[in-house]
Amino acid sequence: MVTIPAQFNGPEHSGNGGYVAGLLAAELGTGPVTSTLRIPPPLDTPLTWEHDAETGEVRLLTTGGAVVGSAAPGQFARDVPPAPTATEAEQALAAYPGFTHHPFDRCFTCGTARGDGDGLRLFPGPVDEHRTAAAWTPHAAFGGADGVLDVPTTWAALDCPGGWAADFTRQVMVLGRMTAEVVRPPRAGEECLATGVLRNRDGRKFITDTALYTAGGELLGRAEQIWIQVDAEAFR
């Protein structure tokens, strides 16, 4: 059995897409993993794992048997976004649109209503029309006994820079699919640079890429994502 604590929400009453996708990835193993979210992940609710030995897929199920999400070995289709400069990241952070309008201001990753050590407070602002960046330092609360962030939290950090590249202020979206790999998890207190790029739009789907670097330019993790435009009222 596993539960997604309420702290790790995206919309107010469902799980943070990146965190839940990372939870699935951690259950599967190392290397690039593709996680697909099927329904809004319920919070503080007992869930169960299902492992498919034939396909290598892992699924997260409700007690009623509904598939919350699934994960399988993945591969990347595009080049990793380059690291932003420190100046780009600081200027983009200052221009973060979520400071004035945020559809999910309690989001674990990018919510402005979360305090230090409660949410990640990773605020990716625009570098140009289709690219975001942010300077970000993980709080000590998110480091394990060794000070290192776990896989679900690192996937959460790779999540929202993509959504803001597609611009949450124009349409409300939730994460549908994420292929990601943690190259080296960040440490609490380590200065990082996050970035996101909008690659394409196909109707209600937004194709984005993200990456997380150290301040010195070391790649910590990367992701390719599909975001789905939704009715905001359905996630209130």
Side-chain angles (χ1 to χ4, degrees), residues 163-198:
W164 285 102
D167 197 349
F168 282 125
T169 64
R170 296 184 182 181
Q171 57 274 313
V172 176
M173 298 164 289
V174 294
L175 186 69
R177 178 172 292 168
M178 183 167 170
T179 298
E181 181 178 18
V182 177
V183 178
R184 195 265 289 170
R187 296 183 295 271
E190 184 171 28
E191 294 182 1
C192 300
L193 300 172
T195 190
V197 181
L198 174 64

Side-chain angles (χ1 to χ4, degrees), residues 38-133:
R38 307 291 183 180
I39 62 174
L43 299 170
D44 286 339
T45 301
L47 305 170
T48 59
W49 292 112
E50 180 179 82
H51 294 261
D52 191 322
E54 184 175 337
T55 65
E57 186 177 74
V58 62
R59 292 179 282 272
L60 190 59
L61 309 177
T62 67
T63 53
V67 179
V68 176
S70 61
Q75 57 184 6
F76 295 110
R78 297 176 292 276
D79 292 337
V80 60
T85 67
T87 298
E88 285 177 329
E90 291 293 347
Q91 290 176 345
L93 171 62
Y96 176 51
F99 290 139
T100 55
H101 171 68
H102 200 308
F104 305 125
D105 67 356
R106 289 197 53 77
C107 171
F108 172 67
T109 302
C110 67
T112 52
R114 304 294 289 266
D116 290 337
D118 178 35
L120 296 184
R121 293 181 59 81
L122 195 164
F123 301 143
V127 174
D128 54 39
E129 186 178 2
H130 299 304
R131 186 163 64 103
T132 63

